[in-house]
Amino acid sequence: MSFSFFKTRPKSPQEVARAIKDSLMALDTKTVVEVKSLEKALEEVEKNFSTMRYMLSGDGESEPSPDQISQLALEICKEDVISLLIHKLHIYGWQARKDLAYCWSILLRQQVESKYCCAEYIENHLELLDFLVV
């Protein structure tokens, strides 16, 4: 049972995809010169990955919504988040990588309108597979 008095409203799939993209883009900015700034940006990435994980698998109190999962998969493909996720893989910490691997396993199997949109995204961007292998 959760005793949080200050519950925030759950984020929509669009907000989660956008937050992930923005936090990954923040890792590239020229302002990330100081170690503290990089650590803060990585914490934000971890927080967003954790939010995505809870949206995909639910928490102890509620089950995940199939509609939200489908919408999140579509938004991640639309916003080109997959490319950023793969290109920044070497920067993430252990927990972020663990959350990302878990989320990726769900997203790859997610069928939206009889198509596997994340798998199709990888098919259309084969250079991402080359990046992972090399």
Side-chain angles (χ1 to χ4, degrees), residues 69-125:
I69 295 172
S70 297
Q71 188 65 36
L72 182 61
L74 279 174
E75 289 298 320
I76 283 177
C77 292
K78 257 196 265 182
E79 294 278 339
D80 287 329
V81 175
I82 295 173
S83 178
L84 287 171
L85 292 172
I86 291 173
H87 285 291
K88 307 285 185 207
L89 193 59
H90 66 282
I91 299 173
Y92 309 144
W94 170 249
Q95 186 63 41
R97 288 182 188 194
K98 202 167 77 169
D99 285 343
L100 183 59
Y102 181 81
C103 293
W104 185 242
S105 70
I106 293 171
L107 290 171
L108 271 179
R109 292 179 278 136
Q110 185 59 42
Q111 193 171 4
V112 181
E113 298 174 2
S114 74
K115 295 187 323 186
Y116 295 96
C117 61
C118 291
E120 281 185 9
Y121 185 92
I122 295 293
E123 281 181 19
N124 295 333
H125 298 86

Side-chain angles (χ1 to χ4, degrees), residues 31 39 48 56 83 134:
T31 61
E39 287 174 2
N48 288 326
L56 292 172
S83 178
V134 174

Side-chain angles (χ1 to χ4, degrees), residues 21-91:
K21 183 176 182 177
D22 291 345
S23 64
L24 291 173
M25 295 295 282
L27 294 174
D28 272 345
T29 61
K30 299 297 179 196
T31 61
V32 182
V33 177
E34 299 176 14
V35 175
K36 293 263 186 205
S37 298
L38 180 60
E39 287 174 2
K40 184 172 182 189
L42 285 172
E43 284 176 16
E44 187 68 24
V45 168
E46 279 191 29
K47 184 180 88 169
N48 288 326
F49 285 177
S50 179
T51 301
M52 178 171 56
R53 181 180 177 133
Y54 288 127
M55 183 174 281
L56 292 172
S57 63
D59 56 10
E61 297 175 1
S62 64
E63 291 293 316
S65 164
D67 291 338
Q68 278 192 332
I69 295 172
S70 297
Q71 188 65 36
L72 182 61
L74 279 174
E75 289 298 320
I76 283 177
C77 292
K78 257 196 265 182
E79 294 278 339
D80 287 329
V81 175
I82 295 173
S83 178
L84 287 171
L85 292 172
I86 291 173
H87 285 291
K88 307 285 185 207
L89 193 59
H90 66 282
I91 299 173

